Amino acid sequence: MKFILLIFFCSFLNGNIISQQNYVSISGMVTSKANDEPIYNALIHLRISSGLNYELKTDSTGYYHFKIKDDTVSNFNLTVASNRMTISKSFKYGFLANKDFGKGELNGNIGFVKNFELDPVRDCEQVIPRILFYKNSLISCNDSLYRLDSTYRMKFIDACNLFYNTLKANPTMVIELDGHASNQEKNCTELSLYRAQLIKEILVSKGINDKRIQTKGWGSMKLLVKEDVIKKTKTIEEKQALHSKNQRVVFRVLNWDFKE
């Protein structure tokens, strides 16, 4: 018996057993892109090529840490998701997940660090641009505005793709597309709704479940630029540019409750 125990102990010292207990440490922080605050309850998904999937939530400091036993060499992917509980101290309305990801290889006692940054839902209109329209039309004027001011404007197709990618990266998110019109437009209530429905049709055609998108037409009830401000401008071009800011569709998060 002593001889058997001695062999076992020597094998342990020689690393035969230690070699079977290699671990890979995968960790990082999730913070707010707005102010670098830690985000808690962000969902970190780890997918390993061997078929295993793991999920962790960040703690109150925004930290997550996987410790994975490395039995075989495998590749892994790391992504972040969010839900109604994904918040920070300053932002209680949730965060938008994105397409950022990490990847690496499980190969024995390696420490892998991947940090993520998320945009607050409250800043939706800054993160996800408004789509603007010509007067009395369902045709977007984003492309024309883009040529005039590419720093602050996004092309129509790029804006629609950003809507789509945001919904794709946040699969439980339910949104409302709010259509608006200026008070110089005819049938502005109906027109504002048609504008929102147009963007919805584009997103559904790309594969987004139509139950995740509600639409609403506000007509000219919620002007971004008030009429008295527009009247103070001198040229017709300036007035029309301000009116176009009211002829818009905006993206608004309603909840995080969608389930297939």
Side-chain angles (χ1 to χ4, degrees):
M1 177 63 74
K2 290 182 179 179
F3 180 73
I4 295 174
L5 289 175
L6 181 60
I7 293 176
F8 181 86
F9 183 69
C10 289
S11 298
F12 183 88
L13 290 179
N14 288 332
N16 292 336
I17 291 180
I18 292 177
S19 65
Q20 298 175 13
Q21 298 297 320
N22 290 336
Y23 288 89
V24 177
S25 172
I26 304 171
S27 62
M29 298 288 296
V30 182
T31 56
S32 168
K33 193 177 289 186
N35 58 6
D36 293 327
E37 272 186 351
I39 297 173
Y40 45 100
N41 291 325
L43 307 174
I44 310 299
H45 294 134
L46 174 65
R47 296 176 176 85
I48 301 176
S49 58
S50 61
L52 297 175
N53 295 307
Y54 300 91
E55 179 183 278
L56 282 180
K57 294 181 179 180
T58 54
D59 62 19
S60 60
T61 68
Y63 180 72
Y64 71 90
H65 182 211
F66 294 95
K67 189 177 181 183
I68 306 298
K69 186 177 179 181
D70 177 27
D71 290 326
T72 58
V73 176
S74 303
N75 296 320
F76 69 86
N77 279 282
L78 203 63
T79 56
V80 62
S82 59
N83 59 24
R84 66 166 62 249
M85 302 303 294
T86 306
I87 59 177
S88 72
K89 184 177 180 180
S90 298
F91 297 98
K92 303 297 184 182
Y93 302 100
F95 285 83
L96 301 173
N98 53 48
K99 298 179 71 175
D100 189 16
F101 69 96
K103 63 180 180 179
E105 184 178 89
L106 303 179
N107 194 11
N109 291 318
I110 296 175
F112 182 88
V113 177
K114 172 59 182 175
N115 298 321
F116 293 97
E117 287 186 321
L118 302 182
D119 288 303
V121 164
R122 196 176 73 182
D123 288 347
C124 255
E125 287 200 28
Q126 283 73 44
V127 176
I128 302 175
R130 297 182 292 269
I131 294 178
L132 307 184
F133 293 83
Y134 290 111
K135 180 181 176 181
N136 294 322
S137 176
L138 292 177
I139 299 174
S140 166
C141 62
N142 279 50
D143 294 306
S144 295
L145 292 170
Y146 178 85
R147 288 194 291 271
L148 295 174
D149 185 3
S150 61
T151 305
Y152 301 103
R153 305 292 180 186
M154 181 176 285
K155 291 182 179 180
F156 177 72
I157 187 64
D158 293 333
C160 289
N161 284 337
L162 185 53
F163 280 28
Y164 167 76
N165 289 332
T166 301
L167 287 165
K168 191 73 173 176
N170 299 271
T172 66
M173 180 191 290
V174 177
I175 69 163
E176 181 178 273
L177 293 174
D178 289 338
H180 299 270
S182 66
N183 54 15
Q184 68 166 351
E185 296 187 284
K186 300 175 182 178
N187 302 317
C188 61
T189 301
E190 293 85 354
L191 181 59
S192 64
L193 179 60
Y194 292 156
R195 286 169 172 165
Q197 290 173 339
L198 171 67
I199 306 305
K200 177 178 179 177
E201 289 174 8
I202 292 172
L203 295 174
V204 171
S205 72
K206 289 176 172 288
I208 300 299
N209 191 313
D210 64 347
K211 295 182 176 62
R212 298 179 58 195
I213 307 172
Q214 299 182 26
T215 57
K216 193 165 187 176
W218 289 96
S220 59
M221 294 173 60
K222 295 187 175 185
L223 296 177
L224 192 64
V225 183
K226 302 300 183 184
E227 187 64 27
D228 58 343
V229 174
I230 297 176
K231 286 180 179 178
K232 292 178 181 178
T233 58
K234 296 179 179 180
T235 68
I236 295 175
E237 290 77 12
E238 288 174 321
K239 293 181 189 297
Q240 191 54 54
L242 293 179
H243 277 302
S244 70
K245 292 184 178 182
N246 292 326
Q247 297 155 196
R248 68 201 190 278
V249 169
V250 298
F251 181 111
R252 189 165 74 88
V253 177
L254 291 180
N255 62 63
W256 303 81
D257 299 333
F258 182 78
K259 293 181 180 179
E260 290 285 355

